Amino acid sequence: MVVSLEKNKQHEVVIIGGGFGGLYAAKSLANRNVKVTLIDKRNFHLFQPLLYQVATGTLSPADISSPLRAVLRKSKNTKVLLGEVNNIDPKTQKVFVGDKIVPYDTLIVATGANHSYFGKDNWKDLAPGLKTVEDAIEMRRRIFSAFEAAENETDSEKRRALLTFVIVGGGPTGVELAGAIAELAYKTLQEDFRNIDTSEAKILLLQGGDRILPHISPELSQSATESLQKLGVMVQTQTRVTNIENDVVTFKQGDKVQQVSAKTVLWAAGVEASGMAKVLADRTGVECDRSGRVVVEPDLTVKGYKNIFVIGDLANFSHQTGKPLPSVAPVAKQQGEYVAGLILLRLHGHTLPPFHYTDVGSLAMIGQNLAVVDLGFLKLTGFIAWVFWLVIHIYFLIEFDTKMVVVIQWAWNYITRNRRSRLITGKEAFLGPQPINNSHPYQATETVKQPVKV
Amino acid sequence: MVVSLEKNKQHEVVIIGGGFGGLYAAKSLANRNVKVTLIDKRNFHLFQPLLYQVATGTLSPADISSPLRAVLRKSKNTKVLLGEVNNIDPKTQKVFVGDKIVPYDTLIVATGANHSYFGKDNWKDLAPGLKTVEDAIEMRRRIFSAFEAAENETDSEKRRALLTFVIVGGGPTGVELAGAIAELAYKTLQEDFRNIDTSEAKILLLQGGDRILPHISPELSQSATESLQKLGVMVQTQTRVTNIENDVVTFKQGDKVQQVSAKTVLWAAGVEASGMAKVLADRTGVECDRSGRVVVEPDLTVKGYKNIFVIGDLANFSHQTGKPLPSVAPVAKQQGEYVAGLILLRLHGHTLPPFHYTDVGSLAMIGQNLAVVDLGFLKLTGFIAWVFWLVIHIYFLIEFDTKMVVVIQWAWNYITRNRRSRLITGKEAFLGPQPINNSHPYQATETVKQPVKV
């Protein structure tokens, strides 16, 4: 467990996970005096904040993905290893990847989070979440198939259920999904169908807490609610989903129990730490919080293991504000950079003060010309916030890979108010529109499974 | 079977298939004095000639797809029906789509072709073909997974098999696939791996006939062969694959039997007419050729049925040259336009002379700055042919939908020599690289199944 400082052996850093945390750590270690191995199950980094635009037909998966090997091409000290980590051994400092054993001097674990259905695991098939490319394609299939099926449906009640979209969770993803579906139904698709009026679609955004976007200021949250309502979204706060069954969503608002028939239910509510947290807990005895996140030390290490770091959505870092830092990309990015810096300093016997997150503000897109931006000292809404949102996202996107194409697509969508990427694809795409109550369960067991088998 | 000319009833045209033939027919009938229903299993038109660019990581599926409803949005007389045709009844003039019955006055059948494995249907899983978006994503997964697995493989023989790519079929698709994979291995991916040298990859293009690209002139075919060889592709003509088993491809060149260990085998050889041909044969007694195509009359109708047209890859039209017209987009396009014109003229008691195909020439992309173009009066190779290829494809792409994005991607790929869309996705993407000889059969039964169940 001692950090290797032997003269002739280069220090080996192993990073598990190529998300924001892992990739920024790798970038910060590029071509420095360490050997780096980045392990991921996927061959690309995914820009998750824009995944909802894939799910709603604006962008293609490749538009928001960067091949890890391409990003790290010039990092000659870095190997990318595609594989699934089965286990780690902190005693002998080894990571087990398939049938391979990868030794490390320092380990960075950044495997992120998955959906959580709060114990109702059968909801997974009924209300898919949005974490992977496959999730987004499945959501896209469901959304556009619902409109297609409604076009073919003669029973008005069934048609209403097909045109009802329930989004569970009022965080950024839920808000962005609701806004995007409202724009689809009330604008983009308006002239595309002959039998149905897509503007009859009903879009419900259900939020457990007092207000949507709880991470931004109450005024902005109120402004976002009003913008969504103007777009046609029904926003219900203090609302908990109690059941999803037979295309009916049951929810409780205070004591009032309500039901709505909806063919499409999308999950943007809970997340839980990926399976690596459990592995770490088993192997190091480290504490995990209620969401399964690893409670880390002020320098992001695992208690008792100075050479194991946990960063990003997998970490619970509460030393700064007393509460865990939010599960957002900027936290992961800053933690990745901090850890890389600390590792390099340690090679020369130095260290760093505890990690400190610099809050860069929060923002959420609602629709065309509509967003909310909370920078603390500055709060923006409407068009100016929307422009700000675009600029920030373009800035982040082009850091790894010049995503000119995304900029062009956005510009083009803006001008034409169309969405080019609304393909119904995947294994069930050939079945055509699905009749209501005829279950086509979402076989997502493979795509949303825990990334680590222990 | 009589063409309806009743005064108060609008003539109903039903088109099955939204490929080039069906879509150009629908476009030509847009907002004319007929009712049109376009039936397709998919909600988008696919620009198949560029599918190989999805399979090799240059473009995204949405880049070469146009949502049918968006293309036909302004055709107010046209309905799009998403569904699978089960049967037709020429007597009562009805098409059966799922549980729906769609009556027609005139029927246009344009359901195209599928892969054919010449009776060796078990090769389907071993050597996937390229007809659908799902096919392309599966090819992409196999190609990039092979490089990943090679990077992890320590056994040199297995690594060699992982870096061997066999493309069966020397038509445009086979040539374009071979050229694109050569560019991947010998250029794009060169710096991306640490353990393997991707330039050791072996790419074999196997062609049954005397020369590749048999539809163009022998000199151009020779030039294409030389260009491919310069890129590093081994071109074997007069070569027939006799077996594919356990990652070994057996092929016969004259009397010489050879074997090559290859993890990735791609099928670009045979096609056969889609299942609608059989339905038509059963229902109308029309003759089908050896590839299952419907032998059509000089006006593209089915013998004895003046109101049933068969166009595109589904049709065998031999009245012009004595041989069937080639299965290419321009034939389908011209036939769609011809049939639409004939239907409109018939409404006024007029008719048209037999269909006549205006040959617009043939072309195939080989690689960056390399293509062959045969316009009959003009033959181009190299850079000038490549520019010509680009201009023609951009022209066709923007006819339905402004595919500015494709132009930008191409330009960007050209400058950076990178490929942005090399994602390994789909149901097996999470399994990481596949060990050799550990079969992960391609479950393609759904995606390449016959579109029509009779």
Side-chain angles (χ1 to χ4, degrees):
Chain A
M1 257 168 303
V2 184
V3 176
S4 157
L5 287 170
E6 297 163 45
K7 274 269 138 49
N8 292 321
K9 188 186 164 286
Q10 235 183 356
H11 191 85
E12 298 199 23
V13 180
V14 172
I15 304 171
I16 311 176
F20 284 103
L23 194 50
Y24 273 97
K27 292 282 283 180
S28 306
L29 295 170
N31 300 317
R32 307 300 291 265
N33 189 28
V34 288
K35 274 174 73 177
V36 180
T37 304
L38 176 67
I39 306 170
D40 200 335
K41 290 180 300 171
R42 312 303 302 259
N43 74 330
F44 54 89
H45 167 79
L46 180 66
F47 194 89
Q48 274 185 356
L50 287 176
L51 205 48
Y52 83 95
Q53 296 212 356
V54 175
T56 52
T58 298
L59 297 176
S60 282
D63 297 336
I64 59 164
S65 307
S66 310
L68 289 172
R69 292 192 188 281
V71 175
L72 297 167
R73 179 179 297 158
K74 303 238 180 287
S75 307
K76 293 299 179 195
N77 63 330
T78 308
K79 271 190 189 181
V80 174
L81 176 57
L82 197 65
E84 194 160 342
V85 172
N86 307 310
N87 212 337
I88 62 165
D89 183 356
K91 302 281 179 310
T92 58
Q93 303 191 166
K94 288 190 172 75
V95 173
F96 301 87
V97 189
D99 56 357
K100 280 203 153 38
I101 297 172
V102 186
Y104 65 82
D105 295 308
T106 298
L107 177 65
I108 304 174
V109 187
T111 50
N114 298 324
H115 318 293
S116 161
Y117 289 87
F118 311 125
K120 311 261 189 183
D121 282 350
N122 63 315
W123 290 3
K124 199 157 64 176
D125 298 342
L126 307 170
L130 189 62
K131 276 282 172 191
T132 66
V133 163
E134 286 76 9
D135 289 344
I137 289 172
E138 171 63 15
M139 264 198 192
R140 185 175 74 182
R141 187 187 71 74
R142 291 191 181 212
I143 293 167
F144 291 103
S145 294
F147 286 106
E148 292 292 340
E151 172 84 353
N152 282 344
E153 182 59 66
T154 46
D155 180 297
S156 68
E157 208 171 302
K158 288 181 179 175
R159 198 167 56 230
R160 211 171 306 127
L162 283 162
L163 289 176
T164 302
F165 300 84
V166 176
I167 297 114
V168 186
T173 302
V175 165
E176 289 170 334
L177 278 174
I181 295 172
E183 289 202 321
L184 270 179
Y186 307 141
K187 292 178 185 167
T188 314
L189 299 181
Q190 269 269 268
E191 287 188 71
D192 283 11
F193 292 86
R194 301 292 179 254
N195 302 332
I196 56 167
D197 180 356
T198 59
S199 68
E200 286 174 6
K202 225 163 105 176
I203 298 146
L204 266 86
L205 179 64
L206 307 183
Q207 163 71 335
D210 280 354
R211 55 190 182 92
I212 59 169
L213 303 173
H215 60 302
I216 62 170
S217 75
E219 313 91 78
L220 283 180
S221 170
Q222 179 59 27
S223 154
T225 302
E226 285 161 18
S227 297
L228 281 171
Q229 285 167 340
K230 224 190 279 176
L231 270 179
V233 176
M234 284 172 270
V235 180
Q236 310 256 31
T237 54
Q238 294 190 294
T239 300
R240 278 180 34 242
V241 172
T242 55
N243 199 21
I244 308 174
E245 209 174 354
N246 296 327
D247 300 324
V248 173
V249 180
T250 309
F251 51 94
K252 235 175 140 173
Q253 198 170 22
D255 291 333
K256 211 171 72 189
V257 176
Q258 293 182 61
Q259 290 200 314
V260 64
S261 289
K263 187 70 186 162
T264 311
V265 187
L266 307 177
W267 192 257
V271 292
E272 65 187 357
S274 68
M276 271 310 289
K278 211 173 158 320
V279 175
L280 282 168
D282 287 352
R283 293 289 159 153
T284 66
V286 72
E287 184 196 344
C288 290
D289 70 9
R290 286 203 320 172
S291 309
R293 288 175 296 192
V294 175
V295 177
V296 293
E297 299 299 293
D299 60 357
L300 298 167
T301 55
V302 167
K303 197 172 184 174
Y305 294 83
K306 292 305 280 179
N307 66 336
I308 303 183
F309 294 93
V310 179
I311 60 176
D313 290 2
L314 193 69
N316 172 333
F317 179 89
S318 304
H319 304 282
Q320 189 168 334
T321 62
K323 285 191 307 180
L325 291 176
S327 297
V328 294
V331 170
K333 172 180 189 279
Q334 291 180 28
Q335 290 182 340
E337 289 166 343
Y338 170 87
V339 168
L342 182 53
I343 291 168
L344 294 173
L345 279 172
R346 280 185 184 175
L347 294 180
H348 302 98
H350 304 303
T351 188
L352 272 178
F355 173 72
H356 187 274
Y357 173 54
T358 308
D359 191 349
V360 291
S362 304
L363 61 178
M365 168 74 102
I366 294 158
Q368 200 118 299
N369 300 345
L370 281 175
V372 286
V373 172
D374 189 348
L375 303 179
F377 66 96
L378 182 68
K379 297 183 202 313
L380 306 171
T381 60
F383 180 71
I384 184 86
W386 181 78
V387 171
F388 191 89
W389 185 98
L390 283 179
V391 170
I392 288 291
H393 280 79
I394 290 166
Y395 171 79
F396 271 106
L397 271 176
I398 62 178
E399 219 168 350
F400 295 140
D401 191 356
T402 307
K403 296 288 188 188
M404 270 299 293
V405 173
V406 176
V407 181
I408 304 286
Q409 305 240 56
W410 281 339
W412 193 250
N413 286 335
Y414 185 76
I415 297 163
T416 61
R417 297 184 173 255
N418 199 350
R419 288 175 193 233
R420 320 169 29 262
S421 305
R422 44 185 155 121
L423 315 187
I424 299 175
T425 57
K427 60 182 174 311
E428 300 196 5
F430 285 80
L431 299 178
Q434 299 167 31
I436 191 152
N437 285 332
N438 186 353
S439 82
H440 281 287
Y442 172 46
Q443 308 286 353
T445 40
E446 238 176 59
T447 55
V448 297
K449 75 174 173 189
Q450 298 286 329
V452 173
K453 294 177 218 121
V454 197
Chain B
M1 256 169 305
V2 184
V3 177
S4 157
L5 285 171
E6 298 163 44
K7 272 270 139 49
N8 292 320
K9 188 186 162 287
Q10 234 182 356
H11 192 85
E12 297 198 24
V13 180
V14 171
I15 304 170
I16 310 177
F20 285 103
L23 194 50
Y24 273 98
K27 292 282 283 179
S28 306
L29 294 170
N31 300 316
R32 307 300 290 265
N33 189 28
V34 289
K35 274 174 72 178
V36 180
T37 303
L38 176 67
I39 305 170
D40 200 335
K41 289 180 300 171
R42 310 306 300 257
N43 74 330
F44 54 89
H45 167 80
L46 181 65
F47 194 88
Q48 274 183 355
L50 286 176
L51 205 50
Y52 84 95
Q53 295 212 357
V54 175
T56 51
T58 298
L59 296 176
S60 282
D63 297 337
I64 59 164
S65 307
S66 309
L68 288 172
R69 293 192 187 281
V71 174
L72 297 168
R73 180 179 295 158
K74 303 236 181 287
S75 308
K76 293 300 178 194
N77 63 331
T78 307
K79 271 189 190 182
V80 174
L81 176 57
L82 197 66
E84 193 159 345
V85 172
N86 308 310
N87 212 338
I88 61 164
D89 184 355
K91 303 282 181 310
T92 58
Q93 303 192 168
K94 289 189 171 73
V95 173
F96 301 88
V97 188
D99 56 358
K100 281 202 152 40
I101 298 172
V102 186
Y104 66 81
D105 295 308
T106 299
L107 178 65
I108 304 173
V109 187
T111 50
N114 299 323
H115 320 291
S116 161
Y117 289 86
F118 311 125
K120 311 261 190 182
D121 282 350
N122 63 315
W123 290 4
K124 198 157 65 176
D125 298 344
L126 306 170
L130 191 60
K131 275 285 173 189
T132 67
V133 164
E134 285 76 9
D135 290 345
I137 289 173
E138 171 62 16
M139 266 198 191
R140 186 175 75 182
R141 187 186 73 72
R142 290 190 182 215
I143 294 166
F144 291 103
S145 294
F147 286 105
E148 293 291 340
E151 172 84 353
N152 282 343
E153 183 58 66
T154 46
D155 180 297
S156 68
E157 208 170 303
K158 289 181 179 175
R159 199 167 55 230
R160 210 172 306 128
L162 284 162
L163 289 177
T164 302
F165 300 85
V166 176
I167 296 114
V168 185
T173 302
V175 166
E176 289 170 334
L177 277 174
I181 295 171
E183 288 203 321
L184 269 179
Y186 306 141
K187 292 178 186 167
T188 313
L189 298 181
Q190 269 270 268
E191 286 189 70
D192 283 11
F193 292 86
R194 301 292 179 255
N195 302 333
I196 56 168
D197 179 358
T198 59
S199 68
E200 286 173 6
K202 225 163 106 177
I203 298 148
L204 266 88
L205 179 65
L206 307 183
Q207 164 71 333
D210 280 355
R211 56 190 182 94
I212 59 168
L213 302 174
H215 61 300
I216 62 171
S217 74
E219 314 90 79
L220 283 180
S221 169
Q222 180 58 26
S223 154
T225 302
E226 285 161 16
S227 297
L228 281 171
Q229 284 166 341
K230 223 189 284 174
L231 270 179
V233 176
M234 284 171 270
V235 181
Q236 309 255 34
T237 53
Q238 295 190 291
T239 300
R240 277 180 36 241
V241 173
T242 54
N243 198 20
I244 308 174
E245 209 176 355
N246 297 328
D247 301 324
V248 174
V249 181
T250 309
F251 51 94
K252 236 176 138 172
Q253 199 170 21
D255 291 332
K256 211 172 70 189
V257 177
Q258 294 183 60
Q259 291 199 313
V260 64
S261 289
K263 187 71 187 162
T264 310
V265 187
L266 306 177
W267 192 258
V271 291
E272 65 187 357
S274 68
M276 271 309 290
K278 212 172 159 319
V279 176
L280 281 168
D282 286 351
R283 294 288 161 151
T284 67
V286 72
E287 184 196 345
C288 290
D289 70 9
R290 285 204 322 170
S291 309
R293 288 175 297 191
V294 175
V295 177
V296 293
E297 299 300 292
D299 61 356
L300 299 167
T301 55
V302 167
K303 196 171 186 176
Y305 294 82
K306 292 305 280 180
N307 66 338
I308 303 182
F309 293 92
V310 178
I311 61 176
D313 289 1
L314 193 69
N316 172 334
F317 179 90
S318 304
H319 304 282
Q320 190 169 333
T321 63
K323 285 193 308 181
L325 292 176
S327 297
V328 294
V331 170
K333 174 180 188 276
Q334 291 180 29
Q335 291 182 337
E337 288 167 343
Y338 170 86
V339 167
L342 182 52
I343 290 168
L344 294 174
L345 279 173
R346 280 184 183 174
L347 293 179
H348 303 98
H350 303 304
T351 189
L352 274 177
F355 172 73
H356 187 274
Y357 173 56
T358 309
D359 191 349
V360 291
S362 305
L363 61 180
M365 168 73 101
I366 293 157
Q368 201 118 295
N369 301 345
L370 280 176
V372 286
V373 173
D374 189 348
L375 303 179
F377 65 98
L378 183 68
K379 296 184 204 312
L380 306 170
T381 59
F383 181 71
I384 183 87
W386 180 79
V387 170
F388 190 89
W389 184 98
L390 281 180
V391 171
I392 289 291
H393 280 79
I394 290 167
Y395 170 81
F396 271 106
L397 270 176
I398 60 177
E399 219 169 350
F400 296 142
D401 191 356
T402 306
K403 297 286 190 190
M404 270 299 293
V405 172
V406 176
V407 181
I408 304 286
Q409 305 240 56
W410 280 342
W412 193 249
N413 286 336
Y414 185 75
I415 298 163
T416 62
R417 297 184 174 255
N418 198 352
R419 289 178 192 229
R420 321 170 27 262
S421 305
R422 43 186 157 121
L423 315 186
I424 299 175
T425 57
K427 60 182 174 311
E428 299 195 8
F430 285 79
L431 299 177
Q434 300 166 30
I436 191 150
N437 285 332
N438 186 353
S439 82
H440 282 286
Y442 173 46
Q443 307 286 351
T445 39
E446 237 177 60
T447 54
V448 296
K449 74 176 173 187
Q450 299 285 330
V452 172
K453 294 177 217 121
V454 199

